[in-house]
């Protein structure tokens, strides 16, 4: 398992408060199959970001090089807490173990901050 982070920047002209879990959806290259990542059980709070300040959150991801039982994301869509518009970025981290139907998958999202 690997942990990676995604940074979020306040591009507004006023301070903002952010906290909780972002929505994270993966979209595959083969047919656009969607995977909405589950949330960890970690506790969270909130933080205030001044203009141009940033914070991050982590993804735990289960990478694989196997030819069976895999999921190949092409895109990751991140919806910050209390927002409705997703930010779409190209998936740079590789092929995942396909655990979309697992009760406790090894690929999941952690809270902001």
């Amino acid at each position: 398992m690997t942990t990676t982070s995604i940074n979020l920047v306040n591009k507004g002209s006023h301070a903002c408060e952010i906290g909780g879990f972002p929505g994270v959806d993966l979209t595959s290259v083969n047919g656009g199959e969607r995977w909405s990542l589950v949330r960890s059980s970690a506790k969270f709070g909130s933080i205030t970001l001044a203009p141009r300040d940033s914070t991050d959150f982590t993804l735990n991801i289960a990478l694989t090089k196997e030819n069976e039982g895999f999921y190949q994301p092409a895109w990751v869509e991140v919806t910050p807490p209390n927002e409705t518009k997703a930010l779409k970025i190209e998936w740079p981290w590789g092929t995942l173990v396909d655990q979309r139907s697992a009760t406790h998958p090894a690929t999941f999202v952690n809270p902001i901050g």
Side-chain angles (χ1 to χ4, degrees):
M1 180 164 34
T2 300
T3 302
T4 188
S5 30
I6 295 177
N7 291 321
L8 298 173
V9 179
N10 178 1
K11 292 190 175 182
S13 57
H14 302 295
C16 71
E17 188 172 330
I18 189 168
F21 288 87
V24 178
D25 295 301
L26 308 179
T27 306
S28 69
V29 284
N30 53 351
E33 295 175 10
R34 201 166 186 82
W35 182 358
S36 295
L37 298 188
V38 298
R39 297 172 175 180
S40 73
S41 59
K43 302 280 186 217
F44 63 88
S46 63
I47 58 173
T48 300
L49 296 178
R52 295 180 297 284
D53 277 355
S54 65
T55 188
D56 69 348
F57 66 92
T58 59
L59 299 177
N60 286 50
I61 54 178
L63 298 171
T64 185
K65 294 187 187 295
E66 298 297 321
N67 293 325
E68 293 180 14
F70 69 91
Y71 180 87
Q72 179 60 62
W75 302 98
V76 58
E77 293 181 28
V78 175
T79 307
N82 302 318
E83 296 290 332
T84 56
K85 185 172 181 174
L87 312 165
K88 186 175 182 178
I89 57 175
E90 194 169 346
W91 178 263
W93 297 292
T95 304
L96 301 174
V97 176
D98 188 353
Q99 295 182 322
R100 288 176 287 168
S101 60
T103 304
H104 299 286
T107 297
F108 56 88
V109 61
N110 293 296
I112 289 174

